[in-house]
Each structure stands twice: as structure tokens, then as C-alpha cells.
Amino acid sequence: MTTTAPGTAEVELAIGGMTCASCAARIEKKLNRMDGVEATVNYATERAKVTYGDAVAVEDLVATVEATGYTATPPVPEPTEEDGAAGEAAEGGDETAPLRQRLIVSALLSVPVIAMAMVPAWQFEYWQWLSLALASPVVVWGALPFHRAAWANARHGAATMDTLISLGTSAAFLWSLWALFFGTAGMPGMTHPFELSVQRTDGAGNIYLEAAAGVTTFILAGRYFEARSKRRAGAALRALLELGAKEVTVLRDGREQRIPTARLAVGDRFVVRPGEKIATDGTVVAGSSAVDASMLTGESMPVEVGVGDGVTGATLNAGGRLVVEATRVGADTQLARMAKLVEDAQNGKAAAQRLADRISAVFVPVVIALALATLGFWLVDGAGLTAAFTAAVAVLIIACPCALGLATPTALMVGTGRGAQLGILIKGPEVLENTRKADTVVLDKTGTVTTGTMTLLAVHVAEGEDEERVLRLAGALEHASEHPIAQAVAAGAAERVGTLPVPEDFAGVPGLGVQGVVDGHAVLVGREKLLAMGVPPVERGRERGRALTLPGPLAEAKAAAEARGRTAIAVAWDGAARAVLEVADAVKPTSAEAVRRLRALGLTPILLTGDNEAVARSVAAEVGIDEVIAEVMPQDKVDVVKRLQGEGRTVAMVGDGVNDAAALAQADLGLAMGTGTDAAIEAGDLTLVRGDLRVAADAIRLSRRTLNTIKSNLVWAFGYNVLALPLAAAGLLNPMIAGAAMAFSSVSVVANSLRLRTFTAAG
């Protein structure tokens, strides 16, 4: 619970029992009717974000939700260390397991029921009784969630797709029971002949078990894939929080002690060794090092820190030993605040209003009214009770959305399957609409447009020097250092010249570079300031203390490199400056082509980065991006996305780091690079497995095509129902025609979905 404006507070409630987007709309409407309450209910994340005044208590909000027919859970206290294990176990549980079990059992029982009903040759003497035995568990147990939801909705005077599913399957099943026990359908040797005739029937010899079982299974399949997608909603937060160090070495009474990070308190001093994560936000009180903060800030260059400098929890110590005094712990850390940003962005995203749910508000009551009207008409007309009930039940059965149950899951399964083959993971149908609307694409720089790792890009040598010799001596010395820039030089040198020699008398100069003896030469590699300090002490028998300067051409090369945002490294040996090396985060070779493809899809690219302006402008120019927003913190990235949305744009965001997670969640469409962090991947709507930016364009194309397929499936499914309803109401719907029409509708939906398998990536 948080306090907002004076006299108001904000709370987030976990909502249970919602089965469609109309449920969320109903809860939101009820809450907003309360005095001083503003509520947003998100069906996708099953959360209600509520702002309320002093006159309202959280218990009142919960009571209102429960009076609407759903459940609401107020915030729970933070778990203690003792019950942490239990909480982790609970979080790890698969909430979709019961639904998956229900689906598997229903599918195994329904297949033979449908097969026997649709293939007359398989209708042996007592086939109808076997169908009853197989279909009964499906309709009673498999469809139980729909029956419960329909009953809850009925108690509150509402009707949803669950109402139609429950009524249709129940009517088909109950009428089949009547026909088997009191009609002629239970007679030995009864068959459903394959007749495509339109004629009035009394229904006494007809059973609809295949419709009841099949519809239940198809709808369960759709609900399962939807639930599996929704389950990922909270994974971004868990991934963010898991980035932090689990244990920390604290200094207490002059001794080092290993404790869980959760027990750290403000003022505690803790040790961070090279290669370890910094446990929490703090200030360096001893030591110096290079800290890799790219995962949080997006800054590709490691940050040199020393006594008095601030450091952030979850960043990586890439250099020497540090002693840090904790200044913020728990929910106050930058990592925790970023997790809150992701949570707020996810909860603020509007719930997907599925076409089926929108139409159901009108379609369901109309169908029920039509069924009752049909029953009354034929009773008044004197057709008899059996014929009247047959027509009324036929209306409910033909309206029951068999093809509708297949429309979304089949297209989604084929589309996501094809996407997986191409390195594209689509999380769920609710993300697809925004791919069609997107007009702006915001691209993170580090790890998205660029490789995300420091790379040796250029070597400038003094007149008369050999590039291979420079790389051999500089690379050998840098190989002995743990600094990320040094490792980039060493890797580049080894790639170009092969095996590097082992240096002697190696020493690091904090914040400046390294020095040592390689092949008998006293070598300096680092900042220009290191050369200005003079010849190193390790240079035995030579002149000491003389400052070195870069000759004109090397000084110009250094200035040009720094103007492009690159790091310039000076190399000297034997009392003379010999070369300047350029190191930077290299642009991926496919990024420029990717930007062209995104423009071809009608998207305006914007480069958004936490890196400095010079680096950002250089990268943007290289890949063909005109608009650049640089030097932004994670919360600023969210604000930039919000500002663009406020301008009326539909924003797609492509990123890979923790610092991108909140912006990915805030964007209308989040595309996460699969080579990035788990937090970014979980916060995104689409994941690009290969880390190739060109796949972003393919992902948007595939998503748009999948969305169009889903919409055409839904149009066909509803069209089939609407066209068949008049025949059913007229009492002219022969059972085999109903079965054949339903099968044809379903097959058409599946065939349309299978066309997605022909989707190919751009050449």
C-alpha cells in the first residue's frame, strides 16, 4: 500500500475468478461506483490498482469485489526469512497444472466420441452408450470451470461466453440423456446416418454428445494457452529481484562474516571481491575498481570508482577489492525501485479486449432469448413439446462456439510455432493487436543495436612502427589485467596476431592503466595521463622520470576517436609513445539493415540509451537513425515512452538489459533480445532469440499476420453461428448437418491457421 495525494492511498488487489475481459470490466465498473475510488482492473495480470480516499477502507474494496462474484486479496506483508523458503516454493508452483490436466483428460475422452459420431462406419451396435460413458466426465468434470463461472454470473445478472458454453454443452448433454433413456436413441443398432438434408425432426433419436464433449475440449484448450501466457506476467519482477547478490561478506568486529543479503542494514560495511556482485546500494570506503553497471544503466563503459564514490546493488565488480558502506537496502535500492517501475508499467497497460468477449455482451443474451422464443413459438404453433425442445436446444447447440474455441489457439499455436523456428517467441494473443498499430520503434543501444561488449576497433601506429608488434606487446600486458577494456584489447590482439607472450613485472596503476616488461621492453598501456607520469620504475637501467607525449598524428587520432565516443588507449615502450588503440561497443553488422526494414513497415526509429551523447550520435549515424535520446536513467526511459504515447504514438520498444525492463513493460509492444537479461525477456511481449535486430522486423510482420488470421477465424466462427441460427430456430437443423457444419467450420479455421506455416523471414 502506498500514499499518493493528501487524503488518498493506493493499493493493489489480487483478483480471482475472472474468465474473460468482460469480468475485469464489471469489477472495474463496480469499484469506480464507490465514492472517492478510482480503479483499473487488468485481466492479463489479474490485478486491480485502486486509489481511494479516507472514507474507504481496503476491506470495503474487497467486499465490493466479492459482492460482484469474484475474489480479492489485499496486500500481504513482506515474507520473513523464516517463511522465505515456503514463499519461494509457492511461487514456483504451476498454476496452470490443474487446467492442463483437465484439458488432457477431456481431449483423450472426446476424440473417440467425435470420431464415432462423425463416421457412420464406426457406429457399432451400442456405440451411443460408449459415447455417453466417455462424454459424461468431459461435460461434468472437464466443463466444471465454465459451469461455475456461468452460475456466478447468473447470480449477478450477467452473461458471458462462459454462460453460452455452459448452457450449450449442458443442453446438448441433457437432451442426449433424454433421447437415450426416454427416446429412441438408446435402441441397439441406432446410427446417425450421413444425410445432408434439411428437415424438421422431433429429436427423439438424436444425440449431441460429440458437440458437448468437443466444445468443452476446444474451449479448455483456448483457456489453457491463455492461462499459460498470463502466468508470465509476474516473471519480470522475479527476474529483476533475482539479479541481486544472495549473500554478502560483511565486516563486523574486525572480522569478515558471510550473511544473506536480506539481513544487511544501512551502515553495514561489506567486502566486494573481483567478479562479485555488489550486494546493495552504498558508498565505497576503501579500495578502487572498475564497476560494470551496463545491466542497470545501459552505459557500455565500465565506471571507475574509488573512495567516496557511490555504487549500485546488482552491478558487477570487474576490478579490485572494494569495501562498501550500505546506504540503501531492501525496497529502497535502485534495483527494487526498477522492479516497482516494471510492476506499475505492467499494471497500467490496458487489458486486451478480445473480440469474442466484446461480442459476448450482446451475443449471449440474444442467443438465450432466441432459444426461449423458439421454444415458445413451436409450443404455441402446436408442434408438440418434443419438437419445440428440439428446436430450442438446436439453437443453443449451434450457437455454442466450437470454431470460436479454435479460432485463437490454433492461429496462435501455428504462428508461435513458426515464430520459434525463426527465433521469435510470441507470448500471447493479447500482444498482437499492438503490432498492427505500432508507428514508432524505440531502440536501446547497448546489446541491441550494438554488440554490448567492448571491442578493439582500430589501431593507429606512429611512423615507422609495425601494427602487429604494437598489438603483441600491448595485448600481452592487457591480458594480465581483469579490466573489461583491457580484456577487449587482449582479445582483439590475440585474434590478429595469435599467441601472446607472458609479461614480467606486471603492475596496475588504478584508474590509469597497466605497466610491465614484455619481451625485454618496458611497456605502458592506458590513458594519456599515464604516459605523462614518466618512464615506469620497472624499466631497469634506463632514464627515469621523463614524461612521454603523443606525437601529432597519434594525438589527432586520439581526439577523433574520443569525438566519436570511443575510448582511446595510448601504448608506449622504451621511452616513446608508439600507438593509439580505439576501443568501443561495436555496432552489429546487421543493425543498419534492420533499421531499414523497420522503416519499411511504417515505423519511425528512435535510439534511446543511457550512454553519452557522442557515442549515441555516432551509432545512430552509422545505422541510419535520425532521432537520438541519450544519457537517460531507467526511470527516464519509462518517461520517454510515456511521453511518446502521450503524443498519440503507439510505441514498440526493443531492448535487452535490466534498465530496459520497465520501458519494455510500459511500451505498447515490448520486443526483448533473447541474448539479454531474464528481466528484459520476461517484461517484453515478444522475444528475439538470436539477438539479431533484423528479427524484430520479422517478428512484427509475423505478429501482424497472426493477428489477421485470428480475426478472420473469429469472423468465420461467428458468421457460421449467425447463419445457422435461423435454420435451428425454424426446426430444420438435421443433427448430421449440424455436426458436418460444425466440423467444416472447425476445419476451415484450422486450415486458415495452418497458412501461417508458409511465413518466411525477409531475405
Side-chain angles (χ1 to χ4, degrees):
M1 187 186 308
T2 58
T3 300
T4 53
T8 65
E10 186 176 273
V11 68
E12 185 178 287
L13 302 176
I15 306 297
M18 293 191 296
T19 57
C20 60
S22 57
C23 296
R26 188 175 306 113
I27 298 170
E28 188 173 298
K29 185 177 181 181
K30 289 285 188 181
L31 287 171
N32 285 325
R33 283 179 177 174
M34 300 175 68
D35 291 336
V37 172
E38 292 184 10
T40 301
V41 180
N42 192 325
Y43 169 58
T45 60
E46 297 183 331
R47 292 286 188 272
K49 190 174 183 179
V50 187
T51 302
Y52 59 97
D54 294 336
V56 180
V58 174
E59 291 74 15
D60 299 328
L61 302 174
V62 172
T64 299
V65 175
E66 291 177 345
T68 313
Y70 305 90
T71 63
T73 306
V76 296
E78 291 294 323
T80 61
E81 188 177 345
E82 287 72 17
D83 59 18
E88 290 176 9
E91 284 186 5
D94 187 357
E95 298 171 2
T96 64
L99 185 55
R100 181 172 63 247
Q101 181 185 33
R102 210 177 285 268
L103 170 62
I104 292 172
V105 173
S106 297
L108 292 175
L109 294 176
S110 298
V111 168
V113 174
I114 297 171
M116 286 187 291
M118 303 306 294
V119 183
W122 292 352
Q123 295 171 5
F124 53 90
E125 188 171 4
Y126 290 104
W127 71 274
Q128 68 271 43
W129 295 102
L130 176 61
S131 292
L132 176 63
L134 294 174
S136 296
V138 178
V139 179
V140 176
W141 174 76
L144 188 59
F146 309 134
H147 301 323
R148 284 175 175 166
W151 173 245
N153 290 325
R155 281 166 41 216
H156 295 88
T160 65
M161 291 307 296
D162 288 315
T163 305
L164 193 56
I165 295 166
S166 179
L167 280 175
T169 54
S170 298
F173 183 70
L174 293 174
W175 186 261
S176 299
L177 287 179
W178 184 91
L180 285 169
F181 287 99
F182 302 104
T184 60
M187 301 296 291
M190 186 279 286
T191 60
H192 273 175
F194 193 81
E195 295 177 357
L196 295 178
S197 60
V198 178
Q199 59 185 1
R200 192 168 299 166
T201 174
D202 66 2
N206 300 328
I207 59 174
Y208 299 88
L209 295 172
E210 78 284 358
V215 166
T216 298
T217 301
F218 291 142
I219 303 298
L220 280 173
R223 292 287 168 86
Y224 169 69
F225 289 111
E226 180 180 55
R228 193 175 65 171
S229 173
K230 284 167 57 179
R231 186 173 179 265
R232 298 192 180 103
L237 304 181
R238 292 194 295 271
L240 272 173
L241 296 175
E242 287 171 1
L243 286 172
K246 302 298 183 293
E247 291 187 326
V248 59
T249 303
V250 295
L251 294 174
R252 290 182 178 167
D253 300 325
R255 295 184 299 107
E256 293 187 2
Q257 181 181 350
R258 197 78 173 166
I259 64 169
T261 302
R263 289 172 51 191
L264 264 181
V266 173
D268 281 346
R269 294 192 173 191
F270 58 93
V271 177
V272 189
R273 295 180 175 83
E276 289 184 342
K277 288 181 179 179
I278 296 173
T280 193
D281 298 357
T283 303
V284 177
V285 294
S288 62
S289 180
V291 174
D292 181 1
S294 60
M295 58 193 292
L296 288 176
T297 65
E299 175 70 50
S300 56
M301 186 71 62
V303 180
E304 300 286 346
V305 297
V307 175
D309 292 330
V311 290
T312 305
T315 54
L316 185 67
N317 179 16
R321 179 181 183 272
L322 295 174
V323 177
V324 179
E325 181 174 312
T327 56
R328 289 194 295 264
V329 297
D332 295 329
T333 64
Q334 184 173 344
L335 182 65
R337 291 200 300 268
M338 289 177 62
K340 187 67 170 65
L341 285 172
V342 174
E343 183 179 24
D344 290 343
Q346 286 184 335
N347 289 337
K349 189 180 293 186
Q353 296 295 317
R354 302 272 180 88
L355 180 59
D357 291 320
R358 289 199 296 266
I359 294 179
S360 68
V362 176
F363 185 68
V364 175
V366 167
V367 168
I368 295 173
L370 182 59
L372 293 174
T374 301
L375 175 65
F377 175 82
W378 288 116
L379 285 175
V380 172
D381 191 58
L385 184 62
T386 302
F389 270 104
T390 299
V393 170
V395 169
L396 290 175
I397 291 172
I398 202 65
C400 200
C402 178
L404 188 61
L406 285 170
T408 295
T410 54
L412 189 63
M413 281 189 288
V414 177
T416 54
R418 181 57 182 152
Q421 294 175 339
L422 299 173
I424 303 164
L425 302 182
I426 303 173
K427 287 193 175 179
E430 65 275 3
V431 310
L432 299 178
E433 287 190 28
N434 291 322
T435 64
R436 177 177 57 84
K437 302 173 185 175
D439 52 31
T440 301
V441 58
V442 176
L443 304 175
D444 169 57
K445 181 188 74 66
T446 307
T448 302
V449 177
T450 66
T451 61
T453 57
M454 304 303 289
T455 305
L456 178 61
L457 298 180
V459 180
H460 305 277
V461 298
E463 186 176 355
E465 289 297 337
D466 177 60
E467 180 177 317
E468 183 172 331
R469 186 185 185 197
V470 167
L471 289 175
R472 177 180 170 83
L473 297 180
L477 200 57
E478 294 281 56
H479 185 67
S481 172
E482 296 175 338
H483 197 286
I485 294 179
Q487 290 298 304
V489 172
E495 183 179 341
R496 301 186 195 188
V497 303
T499 304
L500 300 173
V502 178
E504 306 170 28
D505 297 323
F506 171 85
V509 183
L512 295 179
V514 293
Q515 60 186 25
V517 176
V518 182
D519 290 345
H521 300 282
V523 183
L524 294 172
V525 182
R527 297 185 180 184
E528 187 177 11
K529 188 184 295 185
L530 179 64
L531 274 63
M533 292 173 61
V535 181
V538 294
E539 188 178 355
R540 300 183 181 91
R542 300 179 186 271
E543 180 184 355
R544 302 169 186 264
R546 181 168 55 84
L548 306 180
T549 58
L550 292 174
L554 292 186
E556 293 174 3
K558 174 180 176 293
E562 291 176 343
R564 293 195 297 271
R566 298 179 176 180
T567 299
I569 302 169
V571 181
W573 68 81
D574 294 345
R578 311 284 181 165
V580 167
L581 312 179
E582 288 187 34
V583 174
D585 184 7
V587 173
K588 293 179 181 178
T590 58
S591 292
E593 182 184 351
V595 171
R596 287 194 296 271
R597 292 186 185 181
L598 290 169
R599 286 187 184 276
L601 290 171
L603 299 167
T604 301
I606 298 174
L607 190 66
L608 179 65
T609 178
D611 222 332
N612 66 66
E613 185 81 18
V615 173
R617 291 288 175 188
S618 175
V619 170
E622 190 170 342
V623 299
I625 296 176
D626 301 323
E627 189 172 347
V628 175
I629 304 174
E631 299 179 15
V632 292
M633 296 300 290
Q635 59 269 28
D636 298 325
K637 289 191 174 186
V638 176
D639 292 339
V640 168
V641 173
K642 286 181 179 178
R643 176 174 60 79
L644 293 172
Q645 291 170 329
E647 294 172 359
R649 303 196 201 187
T650 300
V651 180
M653 168 82 184
V654 188
D656 76 319
V658 175
N659 61 304
D660 303 317
L664 286 169
Q666 175 63 41
D668 299 289
L669 178 69
L671 296 92
M673 306 297 279
T675 51
T677 64
D678 290 342
I681 292 171
E682 295 296 348
D685 300 312
L686 301 169
T687 300
L688 315 179
V689 176
R690 298 203 305 268
D692 185 341
L693 189 57
R694 290 179 301 180
V695 183
D698 292 331
I700 293 175
R701 286 177 50 238
L702 175 60
S703 297
R704 288 177 177 177
R705 184 164 167 185
T706 303
L707 175 64
N708 290 335
T709 300
I710 289 175
K711 287 191 171 182
S712 61
N713 283 350
L714 291 172
V715 169
W716 173 259
F718 274 118
Y720 150 76
N721 287 335
V722 170
L723 292 175
L725 277 173
L727 284 177
L732 299 175
L733 197 62
N734 179 278
M736 282 312 300
I737 289 185
M742 185 176 288
F744 177 72
S745 176
S746 300
V747 168
S748 298
V749 165
V750 173
N752 189 40
S753 299
L754 289 174
R755 292 170 56 232
L756 288 168
R757 295 171 62 183
T758 62
F759 178 87
T760 56

